[in-house]
C-alpha cells in the first residue's frame, strides 16, 4: 500500500481545525479574558489578550495535532524496530520555518509596540508620559508606604485619604510614588499595576467605565506586612464622588493643614526629618 501524502493530509487537518477553533476561541474565550472591562485600560488589555490568544491558537493546534497525527500515522508496527530514514536539509522547509516564525514574532512585536504607545499598558510611564489623553484628568496621587496606600487629591485642597473612590467615566491621572521602600500599586479591575518607588513620580492614566468595587494591593514584596497592603476601592457616580470628596475634605481638614505641601515625590525617611 502506498504511503498517503502526509504533508497534504496533515496540512488539511490543521488548516480546517484552525479555521474552526480560532474564531471560536476569540468569540467564546475573548469576552471572559482578564482583567475584565471595568476601565478603558482593562478593556484594552482584554483586547490584547484576545489577539494573543487568537494568534496562539493555530500554533498550539499545530503542535498538538501533529503530536496526535505522528502517534497515529507513524506508529511502529508491532514487533518491528524500524529506524526512520535520515533526513538532512530541506531548503523549502527551513526557509518557510524561518520566514513564518520571524513574521509572527515581528508582527506581535509591532502590535505590542503600537498598543503600548496607545495605552501605556497601565504600568505607568514614569514622570513624563509619551502619550497624554486629552481633556480634563482628575489628579490622584497614590502614596505607598509600609504598609498601606493613601491617596491625595491636589484639586481638592491636597486632602489625603486612606481609601480610594473614583468617579465613573472620568479620565484619572494617577501619580504613583512611595515614601519608603519599593512598592507596586496593583488594581486588577482597573487594569493598573504601577511601580511605586521612593522619589519617583510614576504617571498612569485610567478611565473607569462602570461603577464597581475594585481591589487594591501591593504587588512588590515590601516587608513583613506586605500581605496586609490590601484594600477595596470604589468607582461611583460623579454625584456620589462629589459628595464623598467633600466629606473627606471636612473629615481630614485638620490633618490636611499639617501635611507637607503637595508635590510629585516626597523625600523619604530618614532624610525627610532633616528637611
Ligand atoms: Cu508594599
Amino acid at each position: 500500500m502506498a504511503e498517503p501524502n502526509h504533508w497534504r493530509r496533515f496540512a488539511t487537518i490543521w488548516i480546517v481545525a484552525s479555521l474552526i477553533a480560532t474564531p471560536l476561541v476569540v468569540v467564546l474565550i475573548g469576552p471572559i479574558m482578564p482583567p475584565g472591562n471595568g476601565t478603558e485600560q482593562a478593556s484594552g488589555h482584554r483586547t490584547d489578550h484576545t489577539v494573543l490568544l487568537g494568534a496562539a491558537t493555530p500554533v498550539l493546534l499545530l503542535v498538538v495535532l501533529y503530536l496526535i497525527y505522528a502517534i497515529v500515522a507513524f506508529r511502529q508496527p508491532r514487533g518491528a524496530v524500524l529506524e526512520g530514514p535520515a533526513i538532512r536539509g530541506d531548503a523549502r522547509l527551513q526557509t518557510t520555518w524561518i520566514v513564518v516564525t520571524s513574521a509572527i514574532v515581528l508582527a506581535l512585536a509591532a502590535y505590542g509596540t503600537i498598543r503600548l504607545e496607545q495605552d501605556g499598558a497601565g504600568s505607568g510611564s514614569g514622570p513624563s508620559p509619551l502619550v497624554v489623553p486629552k481633556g480634563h484628568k482628575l489628579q490622584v496621587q497614590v502614596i505607598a508606604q509600609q504598609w498601606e496606600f493613601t491617596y491625595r487629591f491636589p484639586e481638592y485642597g491636597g486632602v489625603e485619604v486612606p481609601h480610594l473612590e473614583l468617579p465613573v467615566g472620568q479620565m484619572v491621572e494617577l501619580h504613583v510614588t512611595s515614601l519608603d521602600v519599593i512598592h507596586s500599586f496593583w488594581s486588577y479591575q482597573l487594569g493598573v499595576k504601577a511601580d511605586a518607588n521612593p522619589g519617583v513620580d510614576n504617571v498612569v492614566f485610567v478611565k473607569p467605565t462602570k461603577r464597581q468595587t475594585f481591589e487594591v494591593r501591593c504587588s512588590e514584596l515590601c516587608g513583613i506586612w506586605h500581605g496586609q497592603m490590601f484594600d477595596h476601592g470604589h468607582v461611583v457616580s460623579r454625584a456620589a464622588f462629589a459628595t464623598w470628596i467633600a466629606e473627606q475634605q471636612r473629615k481630614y481638614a485638620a490633618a490636611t493643614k499639617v501635611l507637607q505641601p503637595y508635590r510629585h515625590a516626597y523625600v523619604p525617611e530618614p532624610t525627610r526629618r532633616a528637611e
Side-chain angles (χ1 to χ4, degrees), residues 144-149 180-184 217-223 225-227 229:
Q145 61 185 298
Q146 288 169 323
W147 284 277
E148 63 172 343
F149 290 104
D180 40 42
V181 300
I182 294 171
H183 302 268
S184 176
R217 54 178 87 230
C218 181
S219 76
E220 190 76 56
L221 183 59
C222 59
W225 297 117
H226 162 71
M229 260 180 99

Side-chain angles (χ1 to χ4, degrees), residues 5 22 29 45-46 57 81 112 125 158 168 194 201 228 248 272:
N5 186 333
T22 306
I29 305 183
H45 297 170
R46 171 177 278 182
T57 302
V81 181
S125 318
V168 71
D201 173 35
Q228 291 288 317
Q248 303 302 303
R272 183 162 65 227

Side-chain angles (χ1 to χ4, degrees), residues 13-67:
I13 294 171
W14 174 60
I15 289 168
V16 170
S18 297
L19 288 176
I20 295 169
T22 306
L24 280 180
V25 159
V26 168
V27 169
L28 297 179
I29 305 183
I32 54 168
M33 286 296 269
N37 58 355
T39 65
E40 278 185 1
Q41 288 66 25
S43 301
H45 297 170
R46 171 177 278 182
T47 304
D48 297 341
H49 292 153
T50 306
V51 168
L52 289 177
L53 191 69
T57 302
V59 178
L60 177 77
L61 283 174
L62 180 73
V63 174
V64 172
L65 289 178
Y66 185 74
L67 180 68

Side-chain angles (χ1 to χ4, degrees), residues 15-159:
I15 289 168
V16 170
S18 297
L19 288 176
I20 295 169
T22 306
L24 280 180
V25 159
V26 168
V27 169
L28 297 179
I29 305 183
I32 54 168
M33 286 296 269
N37 58 355
T39 65
E40 278 185 1
Q41 288 66 25
S43 301
H45 297 170
R46 171 177 278 182
T47 304
D48 297 341
H49 292 153
T50 306
V51 168
L52 289 177
L53 191 69
T57 302
V59 178
L60 177 77
L61 283 174
L62 180 73
V63 174
V64 172
L65 289 178
Y66 185 74
L67 180 68
I68 295 168
Y69 188 88
I71 290 172
V72 174
F74 305 134
R75 184 179 285 274
Q76 285 275 21
R78 196 173 283 276
V81 181
L82 298 177
E83 277 288 341
I87 301 171
R88 291 191 185 81
D90 184 322
R92 206 170 61 167
L93 179 65
Q94 287 164 325
T95 311
T96 309
W97 185 263
I98 290 169
V99 168
V100 170
T101 51
S102 303
I104 293 173
V105 169
L106 291 176
L108 289 176
Y111 178 81
T113 307
I114 292 164
R115 295 288 296 148
L116 199 61
E117 231 230 325
Q118 284 174 347
D119 219 28
S123 60
S125 318
S128 41
L130 278 176
V131 183
V132 179
K134 288 180 185 63
H136 173 250
K137 296 166 283 290
L138 173 68
Q139 308 280 315
V140 181
Q141 183 172 49
V142 178
I143 304 169
Q145 61 185 298
Q146 288 169 323
W147 284 277
E148 63 172 343
F149 290 104
T150 52
Y151 310 92
R152 258 188 114 165
F153 292 81
E155 293 160 44
Y156 296 90
V159 61

Side-chain angles (χ1 to χ4, degrees), residues 29 124 170 232:
I29 305 183
Q170 168 67 55
H232 283 103

